[in-house]
Amino acid sequence: MTKLENDIIFISKPQSFEGGEEEYDLSIGGSDRSDLLKCGKGAFRLASHFTKRPIQRIAEIGAGGGTCSLGIIEEAKDAEILLTDTSLDFLRIIQRKLAVNDFDHMNVKFATLAGEDLLKLGTSRYDAIIIASALHHVSDWKKCIQDARQVIAPGGVLVIQEPFKEGNLFMGIALDIMLSSLWPHPIPENDAIRLRNCRASIYEMADSTLEKLGEDKHTFSVLDLIRTGFDANFENIQF
């Protein structure tokens, strides 16, 4: 591992985010949300509820622009926190937000890490791992969950937040109806193109047998994650 001047550790080779990190943070990452701390605070409280001891070490995988990270830092004041992403620019965005908001982050470390390289963190190291809307970016997501089981210390917890396949497929069905002759109102062609592209994306993401080269790899069914969690020997799986 190589430590850089801006205190970011290289664990995995850095990768840029498709579409640009600043653009993503503005449009999707919640950079201007008034409830910016809510997501991370909720994730930490959920982890605290299910752990069998106080959380002293916590890692966030796929932190992005910090939508979840800032709330974790605010809530976990006494814990050692590792924020990771494959993108250096995303980690720098988080550092900038911490500085602008005058957060006390002396206990926070930053690292480039891919979900496929989770075991490089070591075994039985963390009391909690949080993955917020990032597992669908990991090609071998089942291995990521299996590796997380080894990285988490006994009695620790893995918290995952993801959009699920069941809900997305209902959206796809709704788009099928809107684009069919059943829909009573005419749809402008530009809007119809967007709807068709959205529908195609939903069905492609739902097919986990396809190899996908872009940022978004999968959506998951509840049963997908239950089976994978049991296979990884997680003892208590809650949804």
Side-chain angles (χ1 to χ4, degrees), residues 15-236:
Q15 301 174 37
S16 295
F17 187 81
E18 283 184 5
E21 288 83 353
E22 295 286 353
E23 292 83 355
Y24 176 89
D25 193 52
L26 285 171
S27 61
I28 299 176
S31 62
D32 296 322
R33 283 171 46 178
S34 59
D35 62 343
L36 189 59
L37 302 181
K38 187 175 181 180
C39 174
K41 284 187 172 186
F44 180 79
R45 291 169 185 170
L46 188 64
S48 298
H49 177 76
F50 285 103
T51 50
K52 297 179 180 179
R53 60 175 181 281
I55 295 176
Q56 297 178 328
R57 284 184 174 177
I58 185 168
E60 184 185 4
I61 310 303
T67 302
C68 192
S69 312
L70 271 67
I72 293 172
I73 294 168
E74 179 70 9
E75 196 74 6
K77 294 183 183 297
D78 297 325
E80 177 185 313
I81 302 168
L82 178 67
L83 302 180
T84 75
D85 200 274
T86 54
S87 166
L88 280 171
D89 286 338
F90 269 143
L91 296 176
R92 288 171 181 144
I93 286 172
I94 298 174
Q95 290 177 332
R96 186 179 71 216
K97 289 179 180 178
L98 292 176
V100 167
N101 291 281
D102 197 26
F103 270 51
D104 178 8
H105 58 281
M106 296 299 293
N107 59 335
V108 181
K109 295 180 180 178
F110 302 86
T112 59
L113 178 69
E116 293 84 355
D117 293 338
L118 210 57
L119 273 181
K120 292 184 178 181
L121 294 179
T123 57
S124 298
R125 293 265 305 169
Y126 288 89
D127 302 305
I129 290 177
I130 293 175
I131 308 176
S133 292
L135 188 63
H136 62 272
H137 294 299
V138 180
S139 295
D140 195 345
W141 63 273
K142 292 184 178 181
K143 179 179 182 297
C144 180
I145 292 177
Q146 291 164 357
D147 291 348
R149 179 66 182 85
Q150 297 185 58
V151 173
I152 294 169
V157 65
L158 170 64
V159 176
I160 298 173
Q161 182 269 323
E162 279 287 333
F164 280 98
K165 185 181 296 185
E166 290 86 347
N168 276 12
L169 289 176
F170 274 117
M171 289 172 56
I173 293 169
L175 292 176
D176 283 335
I177 295 171
M178 289 182 67
L179 291 165
S180 75
S181 58
L182 297 173
W183 194 249
H185 308 292
I187 298 175
E189 183 57 25
N190 285 343
D191 290 337
I193 290 172
R194 294 188 183 96
L195 293 176
R196 285 193 288 268
N197 289 340
C198 181
R199 178 183 62 182
S201 174
I202 286 171
Y203 289 132
E204 181 182 16
M205 286 277 287
D207 188 349
S208 57
T209 66
L210 297 176
E211 181 181 1
K212 304 179 184 75
L213 302 178
E215 286 289 350
D216 297 330
K217 305 294 194 301
H218 318 285
T219 51
F220 311 97
S221 73
V222 171
L223 287 178
D224 283 339
L225 288 181
I226 289 175
R227 291 193 194 100
T228 303
F230 277 123
D231 289 345
N233 294 320
F234 279 98
E235 297 174 2
N236 181 18

